[in-house]
């Protein structure tokens, strides 16, 4: 979308607190020449549309027709083209073709599918030298959040494994998996990737009350600075709501 000054308005505020660290990590890739990007489980296109705005050729593969319809509306709104395909990660290579992507986004998906199979599918569509951007829910932060909300039994149950899902995007009743940074790094390496970077995402964002951010001038920007400052510090990984990996 173009605003009254003729300037393209990004799909999300550039400083969006929750995703700033992920965009920072993707920056060096997205600032390069136009490339082919596949967003598997891309949903309504929160990432895909912004990647398309940066000039890249983007395909979203997602089983949800509602999400794909919302993606199409969002792409129209922002004046970019994103190819939406209804499909499952297990059939990814049939949809987009082998060796067809320079960058695959896999954000918020490995929690609800067979992670090893999904990573194999991603590897099959990545060109040699391509990059996978993997964003997953981090288990320890969820344990702490449950305990702080008084859901102590849930916190205990979450300590070591799966839980039943109540999340948007995952079918209710399906197991949702959360990962430690070591677990997801191990799975990614087992799938044949080399992990290039691991980032802590949303270390503080989910702990700071939104009302405080609204009332304090400059607080949102300061929070982004804080998130950025700890993103590469491994001691903050167990506190992060999500872990982000770049793998080749
Ligand atoms: C939590 S949402 C994440 C959306 C987006 N990637 C983001 O980060 O904003 C998970 C998405 O995965 C999709 N999904 C669920 N099962 C899938 C599967 N087997 N293959 C591909 N996508 C799937 C859902 O429809 C949903 O859009």
């Amino acid at each position: 979308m173009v605003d009254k000054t003729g300037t393209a308005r990004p799909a999300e505020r550039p400083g969006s607190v929750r995703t700033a660290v992920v965009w920072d990590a993707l920056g060096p890739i997205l600032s390069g020449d136009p490339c082919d990007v596949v967003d598997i489980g891309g949903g309504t296109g929160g990432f895909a549309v912004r990647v398309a705005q940066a000039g890249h050729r983007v395909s979203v593969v997602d089983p949800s027709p509602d999400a794909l319809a919302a993606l199409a509306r969002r792409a129209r709104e922002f004046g970019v083209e994103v190819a939406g395909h209804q499909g499952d990660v297990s059939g990814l290579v049939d949809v987009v073709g082998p060796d067809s992507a320079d960058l695959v986004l896999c954000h918020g998906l490995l929690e609800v599918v067979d992670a090893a199979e999904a990573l194999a599918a991603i590897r099959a569509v990545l060109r040699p030298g391509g990059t996978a951007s993997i964003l997953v829910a981090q288990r320890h932060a969820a344990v702490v959040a449950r305990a702080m909300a008084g859901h102590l039994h849930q916190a205990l149950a979450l300590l070591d494994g799966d839980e039943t899902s109540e999340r948007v995007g995952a079918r209710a009743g399906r197991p949702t998996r959360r990962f430690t940074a070591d677990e997801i790094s191990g799975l990614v390496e087992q799938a044949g990737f080399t992990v290039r970077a691991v980032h802590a995402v949303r270390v503080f964002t989910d702990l700071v009350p939104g009302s405080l951010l609204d009332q304090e001038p400059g607080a949102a920007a300061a929070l982004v600075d804080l998130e950025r400052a700890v993103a590469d510090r491994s001691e903050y990984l167990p506190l992060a709501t999500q872990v982000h990996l770049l793998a080749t």
Side-chain angles (χ1 to χ4, degrees), residues 2-7:
V2 175
D3 70 15
K4 287 177 189 156
T5 67
T7 309

Side-chain angles (χ1 to χ4, degrees), residues 39-43 47 62-64 87-89 107-109 112-113 167-169:
D39 190 350
I40 177 65
F47 278 90
D62 197 291
S64 163
D88 189 283
V89 66
H107 295 173
L109 176 65
V112 295
V113 296
R167 295 182 53 208
V168 176

Side-chain angles (χ1 to χ4, degrees), residues 68-149:
L68 291 174
L71 160 72
R73 283 195 296 277
R74 191 194 291 252
R76 259 198 313 277
E77 186 191 348
F78 287 96
V80 292
E81 279 191 26
V82 175
H85 304 278
Q86 190 172 2
D88 189 283
V89 66
S90 58
L92 182 62
V93 73
D94 299 325
V95 177
V96 297
D99 293 346
S100 58
D102 303 296
L103 172 66
V104 174
L105 307 182
C106 176
H107 295 173
L109 176 65
L110 297 185
E111 296 88 335
V112 295
V113 296
D114 182 309
E117 280 180 21
L119 288 166
I122 290 167
R123 218 165 111 73
V125 302
L126 263 184
R127 293 187 177 122
T131 301
S133 168
I134 294 159
L135 185 64
V136 294
Q138 197 278 123
R139 186 184 309 139
H140 298 309
V143 173
V144 174
R146 294 292 155 90
M148 286 176 67

